[in-house]
Structure formats: structure tokens, C-alpha cells
Amino acid sequence: MKVMIDTNIFISAVLFPNGRASDALKKAFMPPFRPMTCEYVIDELRRKFHEKFPEKMESLESFLSSSCSVMQIVETPSNMMEKEKLVRDEKDRPILRAALSSRVDLFLTGDKDFLESEVNDPRIISVTEFLSL
């Protein structure tokens, strides 16, 4: 089961390694799940850490180095898809586009713009829901 992982899950897991997002991320890395993210998320992670947590950049790079070896990183298509208009925040739309083009089964996020959207394929799932699977 392919699981696209959103930026906020990675941020929470790096900043709070004993938290629920970290637990969800660990679960996503275990069978039957196949963890995925997109180039856009990786770029966004680096940008956000550089702006907000520059002292944690080394932790982020270490985390990415170990994670990327077991996680599929997919391209972020440049062509918009009609379904992505269901997400309020335009900056989030490329991530949904990557999830759609990769045909993921689940999209793991804590972002209300995704969770409150009317997108149901892929299934957009919160940390709590994912941990209860």
C-alpha cells in the first residue's frame, strides 16, 4: 500500500522524535506500507528548516539521508490536475498532484487544507487515523 507523506509529518517527526507523527512515520516505513514523498516536499522541508529551524539543518539532512534510502521520491508534475483545485492552499496543490500521478493509496498529513478537502482518492488520512489502521 503506497503512502505519500506530507511535509508536516516529516517536520514533526524530526522535531519531536518521540511524538505521534514520528510513530506514524515509522509505521509508514513498515510493510505492508510503501513510503513515498515528492521532490516538492523535500525542497519545502529544506526551505522551512532553513527559515525556521536553522540550528536543526544537520538533523534534517541526517534524517533525509537515512529515510531517502528506503522511501521512494517521485517527481512533482508541472501540469495542474482538476482535482487539486479541491485543496484551498495553492502551495499545497503540487503535493496532491504528485500523489495523484503516483496513484498512492493513502496521503498522510496533518494539514487541515488537505484533511478538510473533498478529495477522497487518494484517501487523505491524519496521524491518528493512520496509527489506528
Side-chain angles (χ1 to χ4, degrees):
M1 182 176 290
K2 295 193 280 187
V3 181
M4 177 70 73
I5 302 165
D6 194 14
T7 311
N8 56 66
I9 301 298
F10 289 117
I11 290 173
S12 294
V14 170
L15 296 178
F16 307 103
N18 296 317
R20 293 182 53 75
S22 183
D23 292 343
L25 190 59
K26 288 173 192 164
K27 183 174 182 171
F29 276 67
M30 303 287 286
F33 303 108
R34 293 180 22 218
M36 303 174 74
T37 198
C38 62
E39 296 164 337
Y40 185 92
V41 165
I42 300 296
D43 292 342
E44 188 175 48
L45 271 171
R46 287 187 170 122
R47 192 171 49 253
K48 291 210 182 241
F49 267 75
H50 183 73
E51 290 171 10
K52 297 181 179 189
F53 315 106
E55 73 285 356
K56 299 278 188 178
M57 283 300 293
E58 189 175 319
S59 296
L60 173 66
E61 292 303 330
S62 174
F63 172 82
L64 287 174
S65 176
S66 61
S67 305
C68 290
S69 63
V70 292
M71 176 174 52
Q72 183 179 357
I73 300 178
V74 298
E75 288 185 28
T76 306
S78 56
N79 295 337
M80 281 189 63
M81 297 178 167
E82 189 64 30
K83 201 179 220 182
E84 69 186 77
K85 292 179 183 175
L86 295 171
V87 177
R88 285 185 300 244
D89 188 347
E90 289 183 26
K91 290 181 277 178
D92 288 335
R93 292 178 182 175
I95 303 168
L96 178 61
R97 188 179 319 141
L100 291 166
S101 71
S102 301
R103 297 187 175 160
V104 300
D105 301 295
L106 300 173
F107 182 80
L108 178 60
T109 185
D111 187 328
K112 288 186 180 197
D113 287 325
F114 285 119
L115 293 168
E116 294 174 356
S117 74
E118 294 181 22
V119 175
N120 49 24
D121 184 25
R123 178 178 169 198
I124 298 176
I125 190 167
S126 70
V127 166
T128 301
E129 290 174 295
F130 186 70
L131 287 172
S132 70
L133 290 179

